[in-house]
Amino acid sequence: MKQQTLAIIKPDGVARKLIGPVVSKIENEGLSITAMKLIRMTKEQAKGFYKVHEGKPFYGSLTDFMSSGPCVVMVLEGEDAISRYRKLMGATDYRKADPGTIRWEYATDIEKNVVHGSDSPESAAFEISYFFNALEIV
Ligand code: CMP
């Protein structure tokens, strides 16, 4: 099934000049980038994006981190894009990520884990519309 998913290169990834390597892995996987921009979220915008995690112990720190510097936000498209991109990212905890995945190669911390990807069609719809309007997706 053809799907869209929302991908983020987080502030640690942008600061460490990992935009190129991450985009290469996405393109090598055969996923298409159909929208892309560099943004800097405010704390309030980060809280809104991660609302599903409100109340969890890491919510405050996560939203501080996500508003600490620029991020790249992208819409990826392809067959089973949601699960394929999640597989390419590797586990949230980089110590459990499979070899060859983005987090296995680059993440240094469970929070500063370089990338984010939507986890379901419902979250993809919410997350894509959080950053992009229809005219910005080619
Ligand atoms: P992400 O895939 O963006 O989804 C939620 C984020 O919260 C996660 O990646 C991590 O950056 C961060 N996080 C920090 N601590 C934890 C934790 N214990 N479990 C899950 N996510 C965490």
Side-chain angles (χ1 to χ4, degrees):
M1 188 203 340
K2 199 162 187 175
Q3 287 178 326
Q4 289 183 325
T5 191
L6 190 277
I8 303 180
I9 305 175
K10 296 184 179 184
D12 59 327
V14 173
R16 290 169 56 208
K17 311 224 180 291
L18 296 175
I19 297 173
V22 171
V23 167
S24 276
K25 281 191 185 283
I26 289 168
E27 292 192 321
N28 289 339
E29 168 59 29
L31 291 165
S32 299
I33 298 170
T34 56
M36 184 178 201
K37 60 189 172 188
L38 191 69
I39 57 146
R40 172 137 189 195
M41 279 187 264
T42 63
K43 171 86 174 170
E44 284 311 306
Q45 287 166 337
K47 284 169 78 175
F49 180 74
Y50 278 116
K51 201 159 182 48
V52 57
H53 294 300
E54 196 170 6
K56 295 195 181 149
F58 55 84
Y59 184 63
S61 167
L62 173 64
T63 51
D64 280 344
F65 164 56
M66 291 301 289
S67 56
S68 68
C71 292
V72 173
V73 287
M74 291 172 272
V75 178
L76 310 183
E77 200 171 299
E79 286 296 313
D80 300 317
I82 295 172
S83 63
R84 279 167 67 199
Y85 181 58
R86 286 186 71 78
K87 193 163 175 224
L88 182 65
M89 288 193 298
T92 303
D93 182 348
Y94 70 101
R95 292 165 298 190
K96 296 180 185 150
D98 288 335
T101 60
I102 296 168
R103 286 166 170 162
W104 174 83
E105 195 158 345
Y106 299 116
T108 55
D109 187 279
I110 192 165
E111 178 176 272
K112 295 174 183 64
N113 59 359
V114 185
V115 282
H116 167 85
S118 311
D119 65 2
S120 66
E122 295 71 32
S123 66
F126 167 75
E127 293 180 356
I128 290 168
S129 68
Y130 200 78
F131 295 116
F132 295 99
N133 64 46
L135 286 175
E136 294 175 300
I137 303 170
V138 298

